[in-house]
Structure formats: C-alpha cells, structure tokens
Amino acid sequence: MCRSVCRRAARVGNDEWRMSPQYKPPRFPDPEASQQVHLDVLVDDIAQAEPAALALGATLVQAETDGAFRVYADPVGHTFCLVWLPE
C-alpha cells in the first residue's frame, strides 16, 4: 500500500506530495526501522491529554517510562510523546 510523503520540490521550491510505493511505516523501538520525525508534546494534564490523543487515532506504544512521559504512535506509525511536568 502506498502512502503519501512530503518532499521539497527542488525544481520549483514548493512542497509537493508524492506517492511512495516503497514506504514502510516506522516501528518503535526498532532501531533498524526509519523513525522519521518524533515530537514531544508538553501537556498540562495527562489524564485529559491521553484520551484526547487516543480518540484522534493515537496508539499507546510505551506506558512504562520514568513517569514524566508516554510514547504513542499516530495512525501511520510516527512516534510522539506526551510529556508533563512532575508536580
């Protein structure tokens, strides 16, 4: 299955969307897989932020951490973290 990937079009300098038949979604925490981009999202309240992220299609990948973040994947497999400040 092809997925869209964004690349900078060198010819005209505009963002352009292309289909990539060789696209493989990232796998966490597999170091051999392409991780592409990772975002850390600072949230005030994980008890509110987590259900909102899950409702938007996120998947919890790693809940057991040092207690200040959790790792998720978006519907395509890109990882991101919800991070909160300890009280």
Side-chain angles (χ1 to χ4, degrees):
M1 181 173 175
C2 295
R3 299 276 186 202
S4 295
V5 294
C6 183
R7 71 172 185 83
R8 179 67 61 184
R11 183 177 51 146
V12 293
N14 294 324
D15 286 337
E16 187 175 288
W17 294 91
R18 301 265 175 134
M19 298 304 288
S20 177
Q22 56 277 66
Y23 174 80
K24 293 180 183 170
R27 294 181 313 271
F28 178 83
D30 183 355
E32 297 298 317
S34 168
Q35 295 304 306
Q36 299 173 9
V37 66
H38 176 89
L39 298 175
D40 288 336
V41 180
L42 183 62
V43 299
D44 291 325
D45 184 354
I46 188 63
Q48 288 183 332
E50 182 174 67
L54 296 173
L56 291 171
T59 303
L60 180 61
V61 176
Q62 183 178 2
E64 298 300 319
T65 63
D66 68 2
F69 70 96
R70 292 184 189 149
V71 183
Y72 302 83
D74 71 11
V76 180
H78 301 109
T79 58
F80 66 95
C81 290
L82 295 182
V83 181
W84 60 94
L85 299 175
E87 294 183 22

